[in-house]
């Protein structure tokens, strides 16, 4: 199957739906180690992305991601707004004006998203952030590149789930949770969780 | 045409307060506050930061300062979103000291890199007595004067002094008792805690050392325009 602008818009709508379903879960994850706004902020941002796509869908997958990026940057706020905004923006830039995506393009977009988040947040694997989900997801997608886009996203989603789980025993070293030091141990990072949720939604929408 | 400043904070009040303080030191510098969310809540608003950065640029570029974590990301993203991302820079600096130091540097006509450097080096150590007293022993011009103005080398007079010698080719240092401060740094001067009646020794090296000392003497004689 191809992946054009319409399919990309469908991915984002699926992402928005999953964020809405898990809004309370994300709020609860954020409460003990942050300011309990991650679920609300993400839901507001993705709802705005859906509204924007309801008005008009850009002609290319990159165009769709760019609209999503600027909307998330403006509407999500907090650290998640700039981080997710950067991820989508870098992916959009990498895709350029390609009308249909093939596996190498999807991999390049995922890599660009990860590199963007790493650069923006200055976090690395093991800091208990969304990088702990995103980075292994990109690696897994790379391993599955030969098997097509659906297989890549499925592998990415599996790896992101495991990566998100791995943040529970970690001491947070970035973001609000890092102020808690040792007390952040025992908490699943909300940003890693939302990253895993989104990748799972993308995988299911394609698969 | 001076470098503009943007103060990015999670709190509207904090951003406005820091901007107010910095602007007092630098009447001709545009210091723009970008704090809080549109609804008045705590957070940083990308659109507000971008708008403030665009408004702050009068042609000499912009330096952005931030308070905490995500404010830095929002500021960096705003800079990347500019038509010319090279026209603005986000500086890692203590917010209050950095904003004051940057404002004074901008008032003195420093370029964007120098304003950013002034902010970044603010708050490194205590400002007073930083380096090499030995090197300047050789050919320094030197004057002594007694502070006669009411508030001494408080924030406003210190800012005036720094501004009066900005741009001169002169390395000026001010000594009060055993403490010595870089006369190009408002914060270093304030840390001398020099009050009315205090005796100051001022030394200067460089091709315009004499002019620098004349200007400081003149300023002190005018009681810093109090």
């Amino acid at each position: 199957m191809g992946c054009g602008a319409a399919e990309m818009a469908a991915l984002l709508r699926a992402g928005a739906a999953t964020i809405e379903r898990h809004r309370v879960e994300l709020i609860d994850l954020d409460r003990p180690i942050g300011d309990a706004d991650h679920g609300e902020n993400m839901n507001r941002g993705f709802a705005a992305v859906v509204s924007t796509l309801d008005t008009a869908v850009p002609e290319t997958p990159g165009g769709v991601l760019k609209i999503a990026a600027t909307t998330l940057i403006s509407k999500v706020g907090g650290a998640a707004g700039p981080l997710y905004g950067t991820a989508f923006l870098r992916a959009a830039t990498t895709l350029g004006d390609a009308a249909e995506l093939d596996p190498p393009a999807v991999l390049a977009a995922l890599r660009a998203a990860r590199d963007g988040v790493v650069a923006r947040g200055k976090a690395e694997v093991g800091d208990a952030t969304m990088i702990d989900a995103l980075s292994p997801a990109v690696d897994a997608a790379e391993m599955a590149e030969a098997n097509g886009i659906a297989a890549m996203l499925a592998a990415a989603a599996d790896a992101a789930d495991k990566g998100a789980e791995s943040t529970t025993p970690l001491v947070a070293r970035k973001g609000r949770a890092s102020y808690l030091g040792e007390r952040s141990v025992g908490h699943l990072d909300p940003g890693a969780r939302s990253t895993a949720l989104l990748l799972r939604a993308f995988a299911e929408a394609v698969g | 045409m001076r470098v503009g400043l943007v103060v990015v904070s999670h709190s509207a009040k904090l951003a406005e307060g820091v901007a107010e303080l910095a602007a007092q030191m630098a009447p001709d510098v545009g210091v723009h506050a970008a704090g809080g969310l549109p609804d008045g809540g705590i957070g940083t608003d990308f659109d507000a930061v971008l708008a403030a950065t665009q408004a702050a640029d009068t042609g000499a570029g912009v330096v952005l300062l931030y308070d905490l974590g995500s404010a830095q990301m929002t500021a960096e993203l705003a800079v990347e979103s500019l038509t010319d991302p090279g026209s603005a820079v986000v500086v890692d600096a203590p917010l209050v000291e950095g904003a004051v130091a940057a404002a004074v540097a901008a008032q003195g006509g420093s370029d964007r890199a120098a304003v950013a450097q002034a902010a970044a080096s603010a708050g490194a150590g205590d400002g007073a007595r930083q380096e090499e007293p030995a090197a300047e022993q050789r050919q320094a011009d030197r004057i002594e004067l007694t502070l006669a103005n009411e508030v001494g080398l408080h924030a406003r007079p210190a800012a005036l002094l720094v501004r009066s010698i900005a741009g001169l080719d002169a390395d000026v240092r001010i000594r009060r008792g055993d403490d010595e401060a870089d006369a190009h740094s408002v914060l270093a001067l304030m840390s001398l805690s020099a009050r009315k009646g205090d005796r100051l020794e001022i030394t200067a090296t460089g091709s315009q050392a004499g002019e620098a000392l004349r200007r400081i003497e003149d300023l002190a004689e005018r009681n810093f325009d109090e």
Side-chain angles (χ1 to χ4, degrees):
Chain A
M1 51 131 273
C3 184
E7 287 79 13
M8 189 61 84
L11 287 198
L12 290 173
R13 289 176 188 280
T18 204
I19 293 294
E20 186 176 10
R21 274 199 306 280
H22 291 88
R23 184 180 69 90
V24 173
E25 180 199 334
L26 292 173
I27 289 172
D28 288 342
L29 284 175
D30 195 23
R31 182 170 292 114
I33 57 171
D35 42 10
D37 63 358
H38 189 57
E40 199 62 52
N41 290 348
M42 289 291 282
N43 190 46
R44 181 177 59 243
F46 273 91
V49 170
V50 169
S51 308
T52 312
L53 292 173
D54 282 344
T55 327
V57 174
E59 287 177 6
T60 62
V64 173
L65 286 181
K66 180 151 193 231
I67 287 258
T70 52
T71 307
L72 292 173
I73 289 166
S74 289
K75 299 291 182 189
V76 175
L83 289 168
Y84 276 110
T86 300
F88 283 102
L89 200 57
R90 297 284 171 93
T93 307
T94 300
L95 294 179
D97 50 12
E100 290 276 333
L101 305 186
D102 55 9
V106 171
L107 181 59
L110 285 168
R111 279 189 184 136
R114 170 181 60 188
D115 295 347
V117 173
V118 166
R120 178 76 61 223
K122 299 170 183 74
E124 49 193 63
V125 170
D127 287 345
T129 70
M130 58 190 282
I131 290 294
D132 286 319
L134 186 54
S135 196
V138 178
D139 294 340
E142 187 171 354
M143 300 292 286
E145 189 185 354
N147 303 326
I149 293 173
M152 288 170 73
L153 289 180
D158 288 346
D161 278 336
K162 271 172 76 178
E165 292 297 330
S166 78
T167 63
T168 304
L170 295 176
V171 177
R173 283 200 287 264
K174 291 284 170 183
R176 191 79 59 109
S178 65
Y179 296 127
L180 294 174
E182 292 288 336
R183 280 179 290 147
S184 66
V185 169
H187 296 284
L188 178 66
D189 179 67
R193 176 64 175 150
S194 62
T195 296
L197 284 171
L198 285 171
L199 285 168
R200 178 63 64 195
F202 295 166
E204 287 175 358
V206 167
Chain B
M1 201 167 65
R2 290 182 168 84
V3 174
L5 301 182
V6 176
V7 179
V8 184
S9 168
H10 283 65
S11 152
K13 286 180 182 170
L14 182 55
E16 283 160 18
V18 172
E20 180 188 21
L21 180 64
Q24 200 225 349
M25 312 276 183
D28 302 315
V29 175
V31 186
H32 295 253
L37 296 176
D39 66 3
I42 293 287
T44 52
D45 178 38
F46 172 79
D47 296 318
V49 175
L50 181 60
T53 307
Q54 288 163 337
D57 195 353
T58 58
V62 181
V63 171
L64 296 87
L65 298 105
Y66 61 89
D67 60 357
L68 295 170
S70 61
Q72 178 185 15
M73 291 192 250
T74 306
E76 287 174 354
L77 199 51
V79 169
E80 285 170 28
S81 309
L82 293 171
T83 319
D84 175 13
S87 66
V89 63
V90 181
V91 63
D92 181 12
L95 185 62
V96 178
E97 293 93 332
V100 169
V104 172
Q107 178 74 31
S110 297
D111 67 13
R112 206 199 58 206
V115 170
Q117 179 55 38
S121 56
D126 64 358
R129 167 188 15 213
Q130 287 162 330
E131 73 245 37
E132 69 344 320
E136 83 218 48
Q137 298 293 49
R138 33 188 173 110
Q139 280 283 19
D141 289 359
R142 179 179 168 284
I143 56 169
E144 282 192 24
L145 55 83
T146 302
L147 283 178
N149 65 317
E150 282 303 319
V151 298
L153 271 189
H154 197 39
R156 200 193 59 88
L160 281 175
L161 193 155
V162 171
R163 259 148 56 191
S164 74
I165 57 170
L168 292 180
D169 174 30
D171 181 23
V172 184
R173 304 192 69 85
I174 298 188
R175 176 174 282 272
R176 185 188 74 91
D178 292 333
D179 291 330
E180 190 180 85
D182 179 353
H184 304 273
S185 160
V186 176
L187 295 158
L189 290 180
M190 288 171 69
S191 72
L192 284 177
S193 307
R195 297 179 211 292
K196 183 178 182 180
D198 280 352
R199 190 91 184 138
L200 302 181
E201 179 190 337
I202 304 163
T203 54
T205 53
S207 68
Q208 292 181 291
E211 173 64 19
L213 293 179
R214 258 192 304 282
R215 290 188 190 183
I216 293 172
E217 207 163 29
D218 181 51
L219 197 57
E221 276 169 17
R222 300 200 318 262
N223 280 336
F224 297 88
D225 300 327
E226 268 174 21

